[in-house]
Amino acid sequence: QVQLVESGGGLVQPGGSLRLSCAASGSALRSYVMGWYRQAPGKQRELVAVISSGGSVNCVDSVKGRVTISRDNAKNTVYLQMNGLKPEDTAVYYCNAHTVYNQYWGQGTQVTVSS
């Protein structure tokens, strides 16, 4: 069983930056594919960025050039650095860990981009 706890969300002005963290306990993350998802009010949850166990990364077009996903297996933590934030980035951001056998979600952290 893996427990994921996100942190780092908050209120930021347009153009600002935030770094989200996802700390895991209960199991080592090194074998998991890790992802960040978000869900805005009235919308479906969507993938933001993903990083494989080997460190390969990918992200959706809407955040390319503004978002970096990284992992520190020694700290059992995954990060999402977000720059140039826009109001449309406002959402609850969720951390996800999965293998072909298991999938786990964190409880989410709110990101609000507003002036």
Side-chain angles (χ1 to χ4, degrees):
Q1 190 78 8
V2 175
Q3 293 80 43
L4 303 173
V5 179
E6 302 97 333
S7 61
L11 174 63
V12 63
Q13 292 187 343
S17 298
L18 283 174
R19 188 175 83 153
L20 306 183
S21 299
C22 172
S25 60
S27 180
L29 287 183
R30 64 176 64 87
S31 61
Y32 286 81
V33 176
M34 301 299 300
W36 283 96
Y37 290 71
R38 67 186 180 186
Q39 187 167 19
K43 295 188 177 181
Q44 289 189 333
R45 191 173 296 188
E46 65 173 357
L47 176 67
V48 177
V50 62
I51 183 166
S52 72
S53 57
S56 298
V57 300
N58 204 356
C59 62
V60 297
D61 288 344
S62 60
V63 302
K64 276 184 179 177
R66 302 189 295 120
V67 162
T68 302
I69 186 171
S70 61
R71 64 193 301 161
D72 185 336
N73 290 333
K75 295 183 178 180
N76 234 22
T77 301
V78 176
Y79 305 97
L80 187 71
Q81 176 68 44
M82 302 189 293
N83 302 319
L85 283 162
K86 304 175 181 180
E88 51 263 42
D89 294 317
T90 295
V92 178
Y93 284 71
Y94 297 91
C95 180
N96 172 274
H98 75 269
T99 67
V100 294
Y101 304 107
N102 299 296
Q103 178 171 239
Y104 303 97
W105 291 94
Q107 83 290 347
T109 185
Q110 177 70 46
V111 171
T112 302
V113 184
S114 175
S115 54

